[in-house]
Amino acid sequence: MATASRHERLRALGVTPYRLRAPRGVEAVPAEPSIIEAAVAPTATPRAAGATVPCVLLLPAGCPPRTLDLIGRSMHAFGADFARAPRFSVSTEGVLDTPPTARAYLAFGDAQARALGHVLDADVMHAAEIVLLDLPEALHAGASKRRLWLALKALRRRMRAH
């Protein structure tokens, strides 16, 4: 009853409600977390063993919130694979928790790329694409931001092709 009245109110406002369809007799699959939920939780939920995530971000520890917001907005602009990418902080000593297996790793700085090389297996590194980007603090400059966007556009294109 509440659903019917809700739909009537939405239609009166000119809003058409949509829902996911499923084949008859099959229960609808729950949707993945929304982009907003992924932005609120900077690290992604753990995945099943052996599962490959599309993209992983490697950031230096202690990034200012303004810089993290800029990176988050950039990732959202390139779709769900980038928006939901788990974020891993690399400490000043270069220590990194083992990230999940991914198709692409975005390292924001040389130290993050080196730390990734220390924790990943050779087979995983060979299969993945590792993109070295400018440090997050430099992303407020136009040239760094342009390099980030060009790298993400090229990576998104390659990920769609495979």
Side-chain angles (χ1 to χ4, degrees):
M1 181 86 170
T3 306
S5 66
R6 179 176 178 267
H7 287 293
E8 288 173 16
R9 282 183 280 151
L10 288 174
R11 282 197 187 94
L13 293 171
V15 176
T16 305
Y18 289 99
R19 65 180 179 89
L20 293 175
R21 291 186 183 180
R24 292 179 191 253
V26 176
E27 192 173 315
V29 178
E32 296 226 4
S34 69
I35 293 174
I36 294 172
E37 291 170 357
V40 171
T43 56
T45 57
R47 301 214 182 220
T52 301
V53 296
C55 181
V56 171
L57 303 179
L58 303 167
L59 300 163
C63 281
R66 180 177 177 224
T67 304
L68 291 175
D69 289 343
L70 176 66
I71 292 170
R73 285 190 305 273
S74 299
M75 295 300 124
H76 287 292
F78 285 95
D81 289 343
F82 293 96
R84 295 185 183 120
R87 298 177 185 182
F88 285 85
S89 292
V90 178
S91 69
T92 54
E93 293 85 31
V95 177
L96 171 69
D97 292 336
T98 305
T101 303
R103 291 175 51 197
Y105 295 93
L106 300 176
F108 286 85
D110 292 331
Q112 287 67 32
R114 273 191 243 107
L116 179 66
H118 290 296
V119 297
L120 283 185
D121 295 334
D123 295 335
V124 174
M125 284 186 69
H126 181 70
E129 190 160 347
I130 300 169
V131 180
L132 180 61
L133 300 166
D134 294 338
L135 285 170
E137 294 81 27
L139 291 177
H140 297 290
S144 290
K145 205 178 296 183
R146 192 174 313 110
R147 283 191 292 272
L148 171 67
W149 281 81
L150 290 173
L152 289 177
K153 280 174 53 176
L155 182 61
R156 180 179 63 177
R157 198 175 313 119
R158 286 188 299 270
M159 288 175 74
R160 283 185 183 167
H162 290 95

